[in-house]
Amino acid sequence: MNTRIIDIREHPECLDAAADYFHATWGVPRELYVESMQDSLKEGQSIPRWFLLLRDDAIIGGFGLIENDFMVREDLCPWLCALHIEPAERGQALGGQLLTQGRREAAKLGYDTVYLNTDHIGYYEKYGWRYMGDFMHQEGIPARVYAADAIFD
């Protein structure tokens, strides 16, 4: 079975399915995903960008590159967000492939560093991400923030 990563910008026909997927996965209002994905389609817009991991034609994961992931640190950009791999697909380093893709996309867009926030400890470090510290989330709670260098090919 074949896996591939697609950019919603290049496959706008997948926008509704992608919005449904991320909404169901993360519980963030679907309208926010739709709005962000529609913004990603605009000419001249570098971010946001949204990516899906497909096995054949089924969505099995994805992520976004956005300006700010609900963090107080508005000086950091871009943020890799909504990383997810379906539970049945885990253990195949697919998340690592998405993280690498995010770092490559950031480089193509002219960024040197990519950031993310998470409550996981140990996962991102395996893929070259550095723990920066706990920064405040807009909701007033601390969040673990990681950084990784963009990958220039």
Side-chain angles (χ1 to χ4, degrees):
M1 289 189 280
N2 197 17
T3 61
R4 63 192 170 109
I5 300 170
I6 65 165
D7 185 338
I8 296 298
R9 184 177 214 160
E10 297 168 6
H11 295 275
E13 71 279 5
C14 296
L15 189 147
D16 284 329
D20 290 342
Y21 179 79
F22 287 110
H23 166 67
T25 300
W26 296 108
V28 172
R30 183 182 188 281
E31 303 78 41
L32 292 178
Y33 288 115
V34 170
E35 181 180 325
S36 181
M37 290 175 193
Q38 286 174 338
D39 283 348
S40 77
L41 302 178
K42 294 177 181 171
E43 202 59 39
Q45 185 88 356
S46 65
I47 55 174
R49 299 294 285 274
W50 290 91
F51 301 86
L52 293 175
L53 176 63
L54 304 178
R55 181 174 304 287
D56 299 319
D57 289 326
I59 300 171
I60 62 168
F63 72 94
L65 281 178
I66 61 175
E67 188 172 340
N68 186 296
D69 195 12
F70 305 108
M71 299 299 293
V72 173
R73 290 288 306 268
E74 294 181 9
D75 59 316
L76 305 178
C77 183
W79 291 80
L80 190 139
C81 71
L83 178 74
H84 184 74
I85 298 292
E86 286 299 307
E89 299 289 342
R90 293 180 184 166
Q92 303 172 60
L94 296 172
Q97 290 177 29
L98 293 180
L99 290 168
T100 297
Q101 182 73 23
R103 293 169 66 188
R104 283 192 170 115
E105 292 296 329
K108 287 180 197 173
L109 298 170
Y111 295 99
D112 294 324
T113 308
V114 186
Y115 305 91
L116 63 80
N117 76 76
T118 184
D119 56 2
H120 293 286
I121 299 171
Y123 178 77
Y124 295 98
E125 292 90 338
K126 291 189 305 187
Y127 297 103
W129 291 73
R130 303 173 304 281
Y131 172 65
M132 292 179 59
D134 288 358
F135 298 167
M136 289 307 262
H137 198 271
Q138 288 175 348
E139 295 173 352
I141 57 173
R144 293 181 63 82
V145 173
Y146 287 80
D149 295 333
I151 299 173
F152 293 88
D153 290 325

